[in-house]
Amino acid sequence: MSEPLLRVLARMRSHILDPDVLVKAVASGRQKGTTPRWRRVEFRYVDLKGGRHLQVTSYDDTQAHTANHPAGDAARDAVDDLLDEPFANWHVETTTQQHQVRVTKRLEAVVHTTDRVEAVAPERDHDRDKDRLLAEDDPVFVALGLSDASGRMKPSRQAKYRQVEEFLRLLDTSITDALAKGHLRRPTAEDPLRIADLGCGNAYLTFAAQRYLADVRGLPVRLTGVDVREQSRDHNAELAEGLGVDADFVVGSILGAELDPAPEVVLALHACDTATDEALARAVEWQASLVLAAPCCHHDVAAQLRRTPTPAPYAALTRHGILRERLADTLTDGIRASLMRIQGYRVDVMQFVESKHTPRNTMLRAVRAGSPVKGGGVRDEYDDLVATWGLDPRLAVLLDARA
């Protein structure tokens, strides 16, 4: 049942401004037709030499900005300023409850409140590992070989750690938004959220996602990693047993893997070339509610561009090899986004980690929001694009074959 938005925000404000009960608060998403100054804002209290402060971390598209406000008038001013921003979701955790607020199109609020089984104690340490979602000394990172036996991240694995951390932030926000908007059902211990990591390899994502969602967020989840190599399955299963992680690993191709029941969330990080298309096609087949895919190489469309005459007046874009490759990247992911929209998904294409950590830093996030589109603007736009360039996208072939 919806409530007046200002009344709900006033209630959340009282929780955020209470330094004795706030564990953490997060604002994210955007209300229809508006855009907040920040992509995401996090609140928590920290104990500094000058006393207790409200720490506000605001994220734009590339970095985080942290400010500490003394409890009292300064904290109230900071909170009131951000409550005025048109965020679509607020997640407020206290020592005894968790509140999820979703702003509707009518600018009303839907609130879901759950009581904690046991009260928790907030962390007030200002030096808390740079606000990482999972600390460097987490047993998962030690077991995966990213951190050494003392819990220090290995210098050679810093880029991988950064990728996992930023992916977890995006996964956290995406699942929170999908739960708040009803795109994902609320999981229970008897029927946990089903997540599949396709082409999981050494399962960095699988283990980190399970650890964060289950142990930090407290969500009942069941993860399955799929990889074509039996060695990966055996290695990952052994790690899972040692860590006490509730995850399955199966051997099989992305197209051939049989998962029953079907996953609700599909992950695919850096699946090579058309393996990303296979992951997206399986997600559509399973009617997955949320898909996060970070493509790797784009050889298929690049090869088609080399074989097909360039349409006028775009010869300058394909004459040079490096420009043709970049164009192939853009066309491939643009086509994927269009095809997912045609399938009834709301799609965002974003940078999920800075390019200095990996050159393959594009992320496609697709949320199932409706039925497939039969015709009209998005279908016409896609048809014109592939006809102009003479392309036969692999994802389109896979979707047609499984229709």
Side-chain angles (χ1 to χ4, degrees), residues 124-139:
R124 305 299 190 205
D125 184 5
H126 175 59
D127 297 322
R128 188 187 59 175
D129 196 26
K130 298 182 180 179
D131 270 346
R132 300 298 193 193
L133 297 187
L134 289 181
E136 293 185 12
D137 61 356
D138 192 281

Side-chain angles (χ1 to χ4, degrees), residues 59-209:
Y59 297 87
D60 57 24
D61 289 335
T62 60
Q63 59 184 323
H65 308 264
T66 300
N68 297 310
H69 307 276
D73 291 343
R76 280 193 293 272
D77 290 344
V79 171
D80 289 343
D81 177 56
L82 290 165
L83 283 169
D84 287 336
E85 292 293 319
F87 290 109
N89 302 293
W90 287 84
H91 180 74
V92 180
E93 299 183 26
T94 70
T95 55
T96 59
Q97 292 181 315
Q98 297 188 64
H99 308 274
Q100 184 64 51
V101 178
R102 173 175 64 87
V103 180
T104 70
K105 294 180 180 179
R106 296 184 178 182
L107 296 184
E108 297 177 325
V110 176
V111 185
H112 182 81
T113 298
T114 56
D115 295 326
R116 295 183 183 274
V117 177
E118 295 181 356
V120 299
E123 292 185 18
R124 305 299 190 205
D125 184 5
H126 175 59
D127 297 322
R128 188 187 59 175
D129 196 26
K130 298 182 180 179
D131 270 346
R132 300 298 193 193
L133 297 187
L134 289 181
E136 293 185 12
D137 61 356
D138 192 281
V140 164
F141 293 137
V142 176
L144 290 171
L146 273 68
S147 295
D148 61 25
S150 300
R152 293 186 297 268
M153 187 61 54
K154 297 176 182 178
S156 62
R157 310 304 283 164
Q158 286 288 346
K160 175 61 72 174
Y161 178 42
R162 182 66 173 174
Q163 286 182 49
V164 172
E165 175 73 14
E166 291 306 314
F167 187 87
L168 288 180
R169 290 190 184 279
L170 181 58
L171 178 65
D172 179 41
T173 300
S174 300
I175 286 182
T176 296
D177 291 350
L179 286 171
K181 294 177 181 178
H183 298 306
L184 274 175
R185 64 175 180 82
R186 195 159 293 278
T188 64
E190 295 75 23
D191 191 10
L193 184 66
R194 301 183 299 275
I195 304 177
D197 183 2
L198 303 183
C200 66
N202 289 326
Y204 296 108
L205 278 186
T206 314
F207 285 114

